[in-house]
Amino acid sequence: MNSIRRYGKYKVERGVLDEQRLEELTQRKSYSEAHPSLTERLKNSLRCTVPKLKRSVVSSLPILYWLPKYSVWDYGMPDLISGISVGIMHLPQGMAYALLASLPPVFGLYTSLYPALIYFFFGTSRHISIGTFAVLSIMVGSVTERLVPDDAFLKNNLTAEVDITARDSYRVQVAAATTVLAGLIQMILGLVKFGFVGTYLSEPLVRAYTTAAAAHAVVAQLKYIFGVSPTRFSGPLSLVYTLKDVCFLLPKTHLPTLVVSAVSIVFLIAAKELNSFLSPKLPVPIPVELITIVAGTLISNFAHLNSNYTVPVVGEIPSGLSPPGVPDVSIFGEVISDAFALAIVGYAISISLGKTFALKHGYKVDSNQELVALGLSNVVGGFFQCYAVCSSMSRSLIQETTGGKTQMAGVASAIIVLVTILKLGSLFQELPKAVLAAIVFVNLKGMFKQYADIVTLWRSSKIDLVVWLVTWVSTLLFNLDMGLAAAISFALLTVIIRTQLPTYSVLGNVPGTELYVDIETHREARQVPGVTIFRSSATVYFANADLYLEALKEKSGLDISKMIIYKRRQEAKQKRREKRAERRAKRQAKRERRAQRAAAQLSGPPVFSVEEEAGDWMDTCMDRNVTDKEEQGWTERENGTVFVIPTTPRTPDGHSRWEYLKGGDPESTSIGWMSELQDGDTTTLGSSSEDTLSHDLERVSLGSLGKWTWDIHSIILDLSTANFIDTVAIKTMKNIFQDFSEIDVDIYMTGCQVSVVEQLELGNFFSESITKRNLFASVHDAVLYCLDHRGASSFPRYEPSMVRMMLRPSRGAPNFSDLSQTGRPAVSTEYLNI
């Protein structure tokens, strides 16, 4: 049975609120009260109180917050089981991902130990597992192989034998220095509260980046899977060159290594699928990778794969922990760009996973503290020969699904890794590298599933799809560091483009409500007569201010520049009319005086005045010349179908209000053929055509010129979407107010947030002509004010008998019956031959 949803009703009765009345009603604080000065903010930040000190210490060392509340009975056993499960995964992943970083496998175990212990003290997420990760391992590997190539450590140029011990030792130094620098960058960003930097890495960007990084990882493991030694390339298109070289070396594939790789991949895929099928019935997932490593080590040891079939193995794994060492600071200058990329990517992956689990389990993750925690983990880890770390998706999911509750699970997993390093490391010396490569290859299956994002984004957002594709292509072609920079730049560019090309709309009222929606997308929306409500979907700022003005002109149908020019022409014509009327009055007065003198001199001889006759003759010539010029203009322009009459008398400052009447070809774009209504040169229409003319002469917006619209007396700018306004936008708004006031159109702004109003005040936007009375709390407030202020009184209705117009017949005379497009009944008007 379908449930019927009931909607409540509400009724509010209040006065129309502009910004000035709203501030008086709400007692808005002044700018100085709402925004303390820099000195006051410094004083408050440096003022030390006990509660503030406690909050600072707890926020900097989160373990002090949750450890005192830790319940061994409630959380102890779940954390222990979860930690053991994650620790078992750390062993194969640590050694396998070390190969991606081009480092000995034991350093992958170190990376799984020290950073996890540091994060235990400073991290805020309870479920992420800090340690090695494929993407960061690839990024570190690109640095180590670029700065420490095999060619620099040849024992003998004739045999091309590489000094592996010296090479690996220096690669460890490069990786450690890069990790320390990345950690310092993360700590600095966290201390300056720059945790929001991760928000610039959108989800499509991160997923495309990790997908492309997975492709890099696969190509990097091909040499271990096929047992070949391709040439090491660096820089743009290095992936393409490496793949091409591997393809050329395929005939030289080492078959025993390929067999080990194929068997390992098949076993891992089958075991993982079985694990996924049985996971609902199993309390703990089967450690597939650990079983593969143990089995591969045992088979290699008893079959002597290295000595009999020359299958590459891990080799010597030193027991015990290596002492800390200071990284080589001289390397910082060469790896600063790589370190910054590592810092940003590692943080983005960790914070996205952390926020996902925090939202699911109802706690909060501090983004700035996460930066500090990751930075400390990398800095301390770098001193112990670790490379860059972040959270691992697979291990974090295991930690969460096996019941992990707190960061204690990370300590349990670190203990498992520690025991392996101290006692069990030497047992994996005969482990084939092909098995580790197979583990990496299979674990990347989840990232390759992200190619399905292309279909999803195609259906949901084309722009996000373009970001995904550009990120993927740039990362594949330009390597991980330059690819990330190109991807972020392109993503920001799409944001800028979208703000420059927002959706501009004219709003209409939903009948019976105070709501206003786009009239182009809502059939029932009704435009308010005489009022245009204009809205942009983006903030108005320097990059789109001109576009905003152009869109306003287009949507309102008002071409301001042409309209102002036309108005000034009409004012000039009005002045000329007045001068002619004045001269005619003088001439008429002279005639009257002459008639009086003639009457007085009937009894005497006539008196002839040369001065008077000359003056009459000059006045007559001037009027005749003006009339000839106007007649010539009528002949050249032919069609005279728009008529202009002043609706108000001239004011002392010389201005008057004009009424624009339509009665002709709407496609005409000329503005010079407007008739001048002057006494003696017009014809009055008879009363028989009054009804017809009242429909035919319609008031239109000034200068619609090619696009005929209804009269507009007010324009409302809805700025509810704006969260800031800069000086360029403020200047544009001023120009809008000034230009539209020239054509007697009032401008109002609505929905301005407090921050926008404050920026308008600081930008000297308000003046005697533009006050806060022009700002309203809502669109409906502004509409009610416009209708009350200029709704009907601003457009007087003219009786047909009072309209006088001048028409000239021409070959292209317009047909008045074509005016049906205006929405009024079409009429026919007889052309008067004057």
Side-chain angles (χ1 to χ4, degrees), residues 88 173 202 289 296 357 421 493 609 827:
I88 292 173
Q173 295 182 34
S202 63
E289 290 93 346
F357 290 123
I421 294 174
L493 181 63
S609 175
V827 297

Side-chain angles (χ1 to χ4, degrees), residues 103-126:
L103 300 174
V106 68
F107 291 96
L109 297 179
Y110 293 158
T111 306
S112 302
L113 172 62
Y114 295 107
L117 294 176
I118 300 300
Y119 187 84
F120 168 75
F121 291 97
F122 297 96
T124 59
S125 177
R126 305 174 189 173

Side-chain angles (χ1 to χ4, degrees), residues 781-800:
D781 287 284
V783 169
L784 294 179
Y785 177 82
C786 293
L787 295 179
D788 181 63
H789 183 58
R790 295 188 59 174
S793 60
S794 61
F795 294 94
R797 184 177 297 277
Y798 291 91
E799 296 296 328

Side-chain angles (χ1 to χ4, degrees), residues 473-770:
V473 172
S474 61
T475 305
L476 284 180
L477 299 182
F478 302 138
N479 282 346
L480 298 173
D481 48 357
M482 290 187 290
L484 178 63
I488 295 177
S489 301
F490 182 79
L492 294 178
L493 181 63
T494 61
V495 176
I496 296 174
I497 292 176
R498 278 186 277 187
T499 59
Q500 284 189 298
L501 300 174
T503 301
Y504 297 106
S505 55
V506 175
L507 306 185
N509 178 251
V510 179
T513 71
E514 81 290 354
L515 304 177
Y516 294 83
V517 295
D518 189 354
I519 60 176
E520 295 183 359
T521 58
H522 298 79
R523 297 187 182 92
E524 294 299 321
R526 298 290 180 265
Q527 189 168 359
V528 181
V531 179
T532 294
I533 308 169
F534 181 72
R535 182 175 66 190
S536 170
S537 61
T539 296
V540 185
Y541 69 113
F542 69 92
N544 61 6
D546 292 338
L547 300 175
Y548 183 88
L549 179 58
E550 293 300 324
L552 176 60
K553 293 178 181 179
E554 180 184 353
K555 291 291 185 180
S556 62
L558 305 178
D559 193 331
I560 303 298
S561 58
K562 291 183 179 179
M563 294 160 66
I564 293 177
I565 293 174
Y566 174 68
K567 180 182 177 182
R568 290 173 180 171
R569 289 184 180 181
Q570 294 303 318
E571 289 177 348
K573 290 181 180 180
Q574 177 70 6
K575 290 180 181 179
R576 292 197 299 270
R577 255 193 245 100
E578 292 176 355
K579 290 181 180 179
R580 285 196 298 271
E582 185 178 354
R583 288 195 299 270
R584 289 177 182 175
K586 290 180 180 180
R587 190 166 60 248
Q588 183 66 25
K590 290 180 181 179
R591 290 171 181 169
E592 292 177 357
R593 288 196 302 268
R594 186 184 301 167
Q596 291 175 1
R597 285 195 302 269
Q601 296 175 358
L602 286 177
S603 58
V607 179
F608 179 78
S609 175
V610 176
E611 292 79 2
E612 291 182 0
E613 292 298 330
D616 292 343
W617 179 80
M618 291 183 65
D619 290 340
T620 303
C621 290
M622 290 177 64
D623 289 342
R624 190 173 299 167
N625 290 336
V626 172
T627 303
D628 291 341
K629 290 181 180 179
E630 292 176 355
E631 299 237 352
Q632 181 180 0
W634 278 102
T635 304
E636 292 175 354
R637 299 179 180 96
E638 296 184 350
N639 295 336
T641 57
V642 173
F643 316 99
V644 186
I645 61 175
T647 63
T648 59
R650 291 180 62 85
T651 58
D653 59 357
H655 295 285
S656 62
R657 177 160 186 163
W658 296 88
E659 184 72 29
Y660 300 85
L661 305 175
K662 179 179 69 176
D665 183 9
E667 297 300 326
S668 176
T669 58
S670 174
I671 61 177
W673 45 270
M674 303 298 180
S675 64
E676 295 185 12
L677 306 178
Q678 48 187 318
D679 296 336
D681 292 333
T682 59
T683 300
T684 305
L685 296 180
S687 59
S688 61
S689 61
E690 290 182 357
D691 294 337
T692 301
L693 185 63
S694 65
H695 291 289
D696 186 56
L697 297 178
E698 298 170 353
R699 291 186 298 274
V700 297
S701 59
L702 175 62
S704 350
L705 302 178
K707 179 182 178 183
W708 299 97
T709 59
W710 300 109
D711 279 323
I712 298 174
H713 57 74
S714 302
I715 293 179
I716 299 174
L717 306 179
D718 183 6
L719 298 181
S720 58
T721 58
N723 58 347
F724 73 93
I725 187 169
D726 60 7
T727 55
V728 176
I730 291 175
K731 187 177 295 184
T732 301
M733 292 298 172
K734 280 186 178 181
N735 293 336
I736 290 175
F737 272 83
Q738 294 171 0
D739 292 344
F740 279 91
S741 65
E742 289 280 339
I743 57 172
D744 299 323
V745 176
D746 296 333
I747 302 294
Y748 302 97
M749 299 162 62
T750 67
C752 296
Q753 302 180 33
V754 175
S755 60
V756 174
V757 177
E758 291 175 348
Q759 290 163 0
L760 291 174
E761 293 173 341
L762 295 176
N764 297 322
F765 175 75
F766 299 107
S767 61
E768 294 182 358
S769 58
I770 306 175

